Amino acid sequence: AWDKGLQTDRDGIPKESSPFINNTDNDKANMYDGKNMALFEEEMDSTPMVSSLLSKLANYTNLTQGVIEHEEAEDDEGAKKKTVKSPQMGTFMGVYLPCLQNILGVILFLRLTWIVGTAGIMGSLTIVSMCCACTMLTAISMSAIATNGVVPAGGSYYMISRSLGPEFGGAVGLCFYLGTTFAGSMYILGTIEILLTYIVPSAAIFRAEEKEQELEALLNNMRVYGTCCLTLMSVVVFVGVKYVNKLALVFLACVVLSILAIYAGVIKTTFDPPNFPICLLGNRTLQRHSFDKCLKTEEIDNVTVTTKLWGLFCNSSDLSAACNEYFVLNNVTEIQGIPGLLSGVISDNMWGEYGPLGMLVEKKNCPSVQASDNSNDMYMPYVANDIATFFTLLVGIYFPSVTGIMAGSNRSGDLRDAQRSIPIGTILAIATTSFIYISCVVLFGACIEGVVLRDKFGDSVKGNLVIGTLSWPSPWVIVIGSFFSCCGAGLQSLTGAPRLLQAIARDGIVPFLQVFGHGKANGEPTWALLLTAGICEIGILIASLDAVAPILSMFFLMCYLFVNLACAVQTLLRTPNWRPRFKFYHWALSFLGMSLCLSLMFISSWFYALVAMLIAGCIYKYIEYRGAEKEWGDGIRGLSLNAARYALLRLEEAPPHTKNWRPQLLVLLNLDLELCVKHPRLLSFTTQLKAGKGLTIVGSVLEGTYLSKELEAKRAEQNIKSSMSAERTKGFCHVVVSSNMRDGFSHLIQSAGLGGMKHNTVLMAWPGSWKHADDTTSWANFVETVRETTAAHQALLVAKNVDNFPPNRDRLAEGTIDVWWIVHDGGLLMLLPFLLRQHKVWRKCKMRIFTVAQMDDNSIQMKKDLQMFLYHLRLDAEVEVVEMHDSDISAFTYEKTLVMEQRSQMLKQMQLSRTEREREIQSITDESRSSIRRKNQGRRHLVTPSSHPSSPQAQLIHDRNMASHGGVNDKSEAAPERVHMTWTKEKLSAERSRNREANVAVRDLFSMKPNQSNVRRMHTAVKLNEVVVNKSQDAQLVLLNMPGPPKHRGGDENYMEFLEVLMEGLNRVLLVRGGGREVVTIYS
């Protein structure tokens, strides 16, 4: 449904943007007058006043495109459309008559009698009822959609695409386009069949020497004449649609006159049946082309002579000639082809008579003596089936005669009031045609002899059109009428199809069709017409009406199926925007219509049905993959929403069973100053880990308030989304604005996700430059995030050197993924390599699992147990147990711990203002160089008093400090040796006492002993790092258990140092911390 306006962009392609219809910027000044509405001044740009909106809607005229001639004036700013006033049609002229003309057509005149003869009256009524019910239900659904908002040109395509979304819209639009195009070829083939079989048989170019070549010759004639006819029609359409529209009434008059002639003929048979005798040999019907008298011999002047019929069955005209056995055994009889309405022939025609190709048309209840040899029957002038007949085939051939119900909605652009006209006109047209078809089936069965009905080309009635034999005053009324009606329908198809393609192309949802959106200056779709003529030619080369009919049946049924689906979906979802004016619809009717369409598709031809579905499916996927993003407020979006809501409510909040556990990731990204993603490889790693399954939420935090950072947040979100699509990460993006980064990440960890769809794993990058950062927040935030994921019982993955991780396009030819399993925290360590190896990047890597044995462990038994465990887990991996003996703590470890503690102690004292911190660092630096001399300069000037013996530790601290605070120390190194400052008396006393404390602290710093537990931890980190580097230096990826953060915040920096030492010398590392639950199981 269409509640949005159309604006035209630079190419003149309609695009929907504004909430009301003819939106123009220059109206803004007039949107409110005076000061009555001053309260709403701010909103006036985005939300117009009701009065101005109503006046716009009142002045609205239906947007038209297509049949109306419109010119495009080119100027500097691009093409702007000027719409020339269009003819405004009412219900009768605009919908009812076009539908009537499109529905009644070639099949009624050329095939309905044959269908009645073959399927019988009951079978034919079943076929007609099914097809008419299908179109009636579709028309009801279509009326509901058409009256739900303004329908501009584009008709059915427009309705479906706006109801079901661009993917379905494009697929159905193209199906409908192909259907209309093949309908054009079917009408042209019908035209040529009438021309060559009934009007001028002598015009045939190819002639059959033998009887069995007749069909081939007919098809070749169809191909040649059909191509000429198509060319001619295309030229007419190209020259101008207005001529087609002018001729439309002439063509319609032909159809109406023909139908009236049939009814008149039926009435006349009650008292004066027409004389169309049929010649039967035994019970077989004879082709009555080359003989007049239905006699074997006749008496002329008391002499028995043979007739022309004798010559057809015997090798000479002598009475003693050798004749066909069946001809000798059976008599010739002549019966009336049209016995009349009251003759009682209806009882013979009640049931069908199907048969294979070449089956002879025989009269039931007629005496016949069978010959011993029937091999030559095909060369004799019998009437026979030209194709194998069965019920489902007849459905496929008949269905095109009920299509055409969209004719009114396709001209929606030309209607005065489309919302009123389309339902009334279409439903009336279907009711009228259904009555005509059903009455014709019964009347044909009641008036015409069965063998004549089954004679497709009227060979038994001297090559007359069978339906023509019934008509009054002459068979020619129907022949000429049907000829013109087929011509007209062909022209209409060639006019409608290119417009439909143009509408699809101009929507821009199928990129490769863009070229067909362009046309002549007045909007005539030239390129689209060429393509249509090309596809039409395919149908003409098939050349058989019976073969082309099922093809277009498929495409039309496909289209009708989606119209019903669109109506059902909208009704069931109760979309707020679903308010059709047409009230006589119900979702059950739409579903019934949909089921009927699907059934008819497979009844007609399961093979064609699958091909049509495949084509529609391919178009759907193509539009989904390549097409433009369109937001049309369609029903499928609503359906997805309802389905998602239902699924989320079903998905209980309890944690999933271990078998169903998979990492649902929350990826915490850092953004640079340009608001671009700092580490896009984190997203590629996510893609490799997820392989498109499960939930991925990509989150980031901006510092500030939402009101001031709203635009930046949107831009950041856009940047993240483009990075996600570049790295093929499927998931959701969430940017939070928070007063500080720590709170922001905390909010994400707590509240990302919805209901049962929450993350259970957090992935983030290791803050590589934490030592060199100006402030401590980078690593403090990191440690807090670790604590929060632990508190939230979520797993944590930390990627070190994430920029070195392989991108999605790489394929690692060899190498290993090494898992160092030190503590068991749920088995996530085992699961991750398995998941990674599902992706192409890591597929060729082998998995190795290392575990560490202590002094008192039995390492051989451990290895066996681990292999058995992995076997039960169904994981392929090499297993290795590494022994770590208790060795003495080395001096290196001791010193490293001491340096670490001194550094953190020093930084604690420096949690002051920045200038004070610089002064503090300077004093420590100077102390280590023993370069400060004590000088007292009276009351106004003072140099900081401080003098200590130099020590190697102080120098070491200075070096470490220089490394970690390079930015600060650039200034401090440039500072003079003497620090001169100016003081007041109060400040001096305060500073003296502060300095005394600071210097005591500095003295403590140099005399401190390292904490024993820290030494032990550092020892573990150093030893473990040695072992890991030794074994896994060349691994493509190393997975390590991540130690937990300290309980007290005092040791946070030490913790960072431990982790840094643990990962030193390794290229790609993933630290893994479990969420406190089992994620792998050995059970099935």
Side-chain angles (χ1 to χ4, degrees):
W2 192 62
D3 266 10
K4 299 182 179 183
L6 282 184
Q7 285 182 318
T8 53
D9 63 11
R10 288 180 68 86
D11 301 325
I13 296 169
K15 62 177 186 187
E16 292 144 275
S17 59
S18 80
F20 51 98
I21 294 162
N22 294 337
N23 183 31
T24 49
D25 294 339
N26 52 7
D27 295 347
K28 282 182 183 168
N30 311 327
M31 283 198 185
Y32 59 96
D33 305 317
K35 293 283 174 277
N36 293 345
M37 290 292 163
L39 184 61
F40 294 99
E41 275 177 31
E42 294 295 321
E43 276 99 36
M44 282 303 169
D45 283 348
S46 55
T47 52
M49 265 186 60
V50 175
S51 56
S52 69
L53 175 62
L54 289 176
S55 68
K56 275 174 188 292
L57 289 172
N59 298 332
Y60 170 73
T61 55
N62 205 339
L63 289 130
T64 51
Q65 147 200 337
V67 183
I68 306 94
E69 323 285 25
H70 51 229
E71 294 150 13
E72 293 179 0
E74 297 283 337
D75 61 9
D76 299 340
E77 295 171 8
K80 287 189 179 174
K81 260 189 229 170
K82 293 179 185 171
T83 310
V84 176
K85 191 165 181 355
S86 62
Q88 298 286 293
M89 297 183 180
T91 306
F92 188 73
M93 287 293 288
V95 182
Y96 181 74
L97 290 182
C99 281
L100 210 61
Q101 185 186 346
N102 269 324
I103 294 171
L104 299 169
V106 59
I107 302 290
L108 169 65
F109 300 120
L110 293 184
R111 292 287 181 272
L112 192 58
T113 50
W114 173 71
I115 288 172
V116 173
T118 310
I121 293 175
M122 299 311 289
S124 304
L125 283 175
T126 308
I127 293 172
V128 172
S129 309
M130 276 200 306
C131 296
C132 289
C134 177
T135 52
M136 182 59 92
L137 291 168
T138 305
I140 291 170
S141 299
M142 188 185 78
S143 301
I145 297 171
T147 56
N148 186 47
V150 182
V151 179
S156 57
Y157 157 68
Y158 194 92
M159 292 187 311
I160 297 165
S161 61
R162 296 321 187 261
S163 297
L164 286 179
E167 294 89 0
F168 276 116
V172 178
L174 285 172
C175 276
F176 190 56
Y177 164 72
L178 290 171
T180 313
T181 308
F182 275 111
S185 52
M186 183 186 78
Y187 289 127
I188 292 170
L189 288 173
T191 309
I192 304 304
E193 188 177 304
I194 294 166
L195 184 75
L196 292 181
T197 315
Y198 306 115
I199 299 179
V200 276
S202 56
I205 300 169
F206 300 91
R207 296 191 180 281
E209 300 297 323
E210 303 289 331
K211 184 171 183 287
E212 62 268 24
Q213 292 170 350
E214 276 177 5
L215 191 65
E216 193 56 42
L218 176 70
L219 294 184
N220 285 332
N221 285 323
M222 300 279 260
R223 288 181 182 116
V224 173
Y225 277 100
T227 306
C228 298
C229 184
L230 172 64
T231 313
L232 192 68
M233 284 185 176
S234 302
V235 169
V236 172
V237 172
F238 178 74
V239 168
V241 177
K242 49 180 179 286
Y243 302 114
V244 180
N245 285 345
K246 279 183 182 140
L247 289 170
L249 272 175
V250 178
F251 298 140
L252 181 63
C254 294
V255 177
V256 174
L257 282 173
S258 304
I259 287 166
L260 291 176
I262 294 168
Y263 283 118
V266 168
I267 294 165
K268 184 173 174 288
T269 61
T270 55
F271 55 86
D272 180 17
N275 182 33
F276 283 102
I278 305 163
C279 194
L280 298 177
L281 174 62
N283 63 355
R284 297 177 181 179
T285 318
L286 298 177
Q287 292 187 355
R288 201 159 187 174
H289 289 301
S290 44
F291 65 91
D292 297 322
K293 294 177 181 170
C294 187
L295 298 166
K296 290 185 183 179
T297 57
E298 60 181 336
E299 296 275 331
I300 298 179
D301 301 333
N302 294 333
V303 179
T304 304
V305 291
T306 56
T307 59
K308 285 183 182 175
L309 181 60
W310 181 280
L312 293 173
F313 284 90
C314 303
N315 56 10
S316 77
S317 57
D318 297 342
L319 284 168
S320 58
C323 292
N324 177 280
E325 186 188 354
Y326 188 84
F327 181 73
V328 174
L329 293 173
N330 290 281
N331 292 324
V332 178
T333 49
E334 194 171 47
I335 58 168
Q336 272 303 327
I338 299 177
L341 194 58
L342 307 175
S343 62
V345 75
I346 189 166
S347 57
D348 296 338
N349 293 333
M350 218 43 152
W351 304 105
E353 209 162 310
Y354 303 103
L357 168 69
M359 184 185 93
L360 303 180
V361 174
E362 299 174 339
K363 180 168 168 57
K364 290 177 269 188
N365 316 325
C366 204
S368 160
V369 181
Q370 290 302 320
S372 55
D373 178 21
N374 291 330
S375 57
N376 289 330
D377 285 353
M378 63 182 290
Y379 304 110
M380 297 299 157
Y382 296 128
V383 177
N385 281 357
D386 67 328
I387 55 171
T389 54
F390 37 90
F391 179 78
T392 58
L393 172 87
L394 298 185
V395 175
I397 291 173
Y398 173 75
F399 188 80
S401 65
V402 294
T403 60
I405 60 169
M406 298 284 191
S409 64
N410 283 349
R411 304 174 63 149
S412 52
D414 303 346
L415 298 172
R416 198 177 303 121
D417 180 1
Q419 296 200 15
R420 189 173 159 276
S421 301
I422 290 175
I424 297 170
T426 309
I427 289 171
L428 276 179
I430 291 174
T432 311
T433 51
S434 300
F435 170 75
I436 291 171
Y437 283 133
I438 287 169
S439 62
C440 280
V441 166
V442 176
L443 294 173
F444 292 166
C447 293
I448 305 175
E449 184 58 61
V451 287
V452 182
L453 284 174
R454 277 181 290 150
D455 176 7
K456 190 188 280 182
F457 299 109
D459 292 320
S460 60
V461 284
K462 296 187 178 175
N464 273 305
L465 180 58
V466 175
I467 199 170
T469 59
L470 186 62
S471 65
W472 178 86
S474 154
W476 284 101
V477 176
I478 294 246
V479 172
I480 301 298
S482 59
F483 177 76
F484 279 119
S485 99
C486 287
C487 269
L491 278 172
Q492 292 233 317
S493 294
L494 284 179
T495 314
R499 283 196 165 54
L500 189 60
L501 185 62
Q502 189 183 35
I504 297 170
R506 286 195 165 170
D507 256 342
I509 54 169
V510 187
F512 70 83
L513 290 180
Q514 294 285 20
V515 64
F516 299 110
H518 309 302
K520 289 197 294 192
N522 60 359
E524 289 296 319
T526 319
W527 290 107
L529 179 62
L530 282 173
L531 181 71
T532 306
I535 296 172
C536 233
E537 180 61 24
I538 296 171
I540 283 163
L541 292 176
I542 293 172
S544 163
L545 193 70
D546 304 317
V548 173
I551 296 176
L552 69 121
S553 296
M554 286 309 133
F555 288 124
F556 277 121
L557 279 165
M558 199 79 164
C559 178
Y560 297 166
L561 184 143
F562 281 114
V563 172
N564 285 308
L565 175 68
C567 181
V569 164
Q570 298 271 37
T571 312
L572 285 173
L573 287 182
R574 297 194 181 86
T575 320
N577 187 45
W578 178 246
R579 309 184 290 274
R581 286 242 176 82
F582 179 79
K583 298 296 178 199
F584 307 101
Y585 68 92
H586 192 270
W587 63 266
L589 291 176
S590 300
F591 265 118
L592 185 62
M594 200 170 95
S595 320
L596 205 48
C597 287
L598 199 60
S599 315
L600 283 172
M601 279 175 78
F602 282 95
I603 286 171
S604 307
S605 161
W606 65 268
F607 177 71
Y608 280 151
L610 291 177
V611 170
M613 285 176 154
L614 185 70
I615 291 172
C618 290
I619 298 166
Y620 179 94
K621 290 311 282 183
Y622 175 79
I623 295 173
E624 190 179 54
Y625 177 63
R626 284 294 314 277
E629 280 295 318
K630 296 278 180 191
E631 179 45 75
W632 283 334
D634 49 80
I636 290 295
R637 214 48 62 80
L639 189 62
S640 311
L641 202 65
N642 263 25
R645 175 181 152 276
Y646 176 73
L648 278 171
L649 290 173
R650 288 285 308 274
L651 195 68
E652 69 273 30
E653 296 241 8
H657 188 272
T658 305
K659 283 188 287 191
N660 299 335
W661 195 95
R662 63 164 68 245
Q664 315 285 17
L665 289 182
L666 169 64
V667 184
L668 299 181
L669 288 182
N670 287 324
L671 303 176
D672 58 19
L673 296 172
E674 299 291 311
L675 298 180
C676 293
V677 178
K678 238 186 210 171
H679 304 296
R681 287 290 162 77
L682 204 56
L683 292 173
S684 16
F685 183 67
T686 308
T687 309
Q688 292 155 24
L689 189 60
K690 301 294 287 178
K693 302 287 189 296
L695 174 76
T696 306
I697 302 171
V698 179
S700 190
V701 178
L702 295 182
E703 273 191 273
T705 62
Y706 184 63
L707 292 178
S708 61
K709 295 272 182 166
E710 179 199 0
L711 290 173
E712 276 112 316
K714 286 204 169 70
R715 198 165 91 240
E717 200 160 311
Q718 214 48 54
N719 291 346
I720 292 175
K721 278 181 181 163
S722 57
S723 292
M724 284 169 74
S725 64
E727 300 294 344
R728 297 194 180 162
T729 309
K730 287 190 167 67
F732 307 101
C733 166
H734 199 27
V735 175
V736 171
V737 182
S738 175
S739 54
N740 59 53
M741 301 293 269
R742 213 194 97 191
D743 288 352
F745 284 127
S746 172
H747 294 154
L748 278 172
I749 289 167
Q750 290 172 59
S751 62
L754 181 65
M757 281 293 273
K758 281 187 82 68
H759 59 278
N760 54 27
T761 308
V762 176
L763 170 63
M764 57 198 295
W766 170 256
S769 57
W770 68 276
K771 285 187 176 175
H772 311 301
D774 284 356
D775 55 2
T776 59
T777 52
S778 72
W779 58 261
N781 287 346
F782 175 79
V783 180
E784 283 303 315
T785 308
V786 176
R787 283 200 176 95
E788 271 164 2
T789 52
T790 310
H793 301 294
Q794 291 168 7
L796 176 66
L797 312 177
V798 178
K800 186 195 175 193
N801 294 341
V802 73
D803 294 328
N804 296 346
F805 276 54
N808 288 329
R809 60 179 176 277
D810 277 15
R811 302 285 178 270
L812 301 177
E814 54 188 9
T816 58
I817 300 176
D818 287 3
V819 176
W820 283 84
W821 193 27
I822 289 120
V823 292
H824 178 67
D825 54 1
L828 186 56
L829 271 171
M830 314 285 172
L831 193 59
L832 291 175
F834 169 74
L835 293 173
L836 277 176
R837 287 177 60 215
Q838 307 294 309
H839 196 273
K840 295 187 204 99
V841 174
W842 303 90
R843 192 161 288 159
K844 293 191 176 154
C845 292
K846 290 191 169 59
M847 178 172 160
R848 296 195 301 182
I849 293 188
F850 296 89
T851 189
V852 176
Q854 300 297 326
M855 272 297 281
D856 48 357
D857 290 330
N858 180 347
S859 54
I860 296 166
Q861 188 59 40
M862 267 179 81
K863 184 168 181 175
K864 277 185 185 167
D865 292 346
L866 186 52
Q867 281 169 333
M868 182 54 75
F869 179 57
L870 287 176
Y871 174 75
H872 284 312
L873 281 179
R874 306 161 312 281
L875 294 173
D876 294 327
E878 289 176 33
V879 174
E880 199 168 324
V881 177
V882 179
E883 296 188 356
M884 258 175 74
H885 300 302
D886 286 349
S887 58
D888 293 336
I889 294 171
S890 66
F892 169 73
T893 306
Y894 197 81
E895 188 184 316
K896 212 172 171 76
T897 314
L898 183 65
V899 167
M900 172 189 82
E901 290 190 356
Q902 286 172 339
R903 180 169 178 276
S904 62
Q905 190 70 29
M906 185 171 72
L907 281 174
K908 268 190 206 120
Q909 291 169 12
M910 283 164 28
Q911 300 293 329
L912 312 163
S913 75
R914 183 159 176 146
T915 51
E916 286 177 324
R917 191 197 309 175
E918 283 178 26
R919 204 182 321 141
E920 185 85 50
I921 291 166
Q922 183 66 41
S923 75
I924 295 171
T925 308
D926 292 349
E927 169 142 9
S928 71
R929 294 175 177 160
S930 37
S931 61
I932 290 189
R933 290 176 294 283
R934 191 171 296 192
K935 283 186 184 175
N936 264 329
Q937 291 188 354
R939 185 164 159 251
R940 299 292 290 172
H941 298 285
L942 168 142
V943 176
T944 42
S946 168
S947 110
H948 274 288
S950 174
S951 69
Q953 284 102 327
Q955 184 58 43
L956 190 65
I957 287 175
H958 167 62
D959 293 344
R960 292 287 274 178
N961 209 44
M962 293 298 281
S964 64
H965 287 276
V968 177
N969 285 349
D970 290 346
K971 295 175 191 166
S972 50
E973 278 195 324
E977 297 236 328
R978 293 192 184 114
V979 186
H980 291 277
M981 295 175 191
T982 308
W983 303 92
T984 60
K985 194 168 186 180
E986 292 81 13
K987 270 195 181 176
L988 176 63
S989 54
E991 179 64 18
R992 269 197 181 139
S993 63
R994 203 193 67 73
N995 261 339
R996 230 170 267 126
E997 288 162 21
N999 286 329
V1000 169
V1002 170
R1003 264 183 234 117
D1004 293 348
L1005 193 61
F1006 297 139
S1007 57
M1008 69 188 280
K1009 292 269 194 300
N1011 180 323
Q1012 280 308 305
S1013 77
N1014 280 351
V1015 173
R1016 283 202 316 277
R1017 283 184 186 143
M1018 181 63 84
H1019 175 64
T1020 309
V1022 170
K1023 294 300 287 178
L1024 198 51
N1025 175 255
E1026 278 173 16
V1027 175
V1028 174
V1029 169
N1030 179 27
K1031 295 281 186 187
S1032 302
Q1033 196 159 17
D1034 300 325
Q1036 296 286 10
L1037 180 64
V1038 178
L1039 281 85
L1040 279 167
N1041 277 119
M1042 182 179 187
K1047 294 273 188 299
H1048 307 294
R1049 281 179 172 69
D1052 283 2
E1053 199 197 355
N1054 302 351
Y1055 174 64
M1056 293 296 285
E1057 192 74 54
F1058 294 142
L1059 292 180
E1060 189 72 68
V1061 169
L1062 186 60
M1063 296 188 288
E1064 213 169 323
L1066 296 169
N1067 181 16
R1068 298 178 191 139
V1069 185
L1070 190 66
L1071 290 176
V1072 180
R1073 186 159 169 68
R1077 55 158 300 164
E1078 288 295 328
V1079 300
V1080 289
T1081 175
I1082 61 173
Y1083 299 108
S1084 64

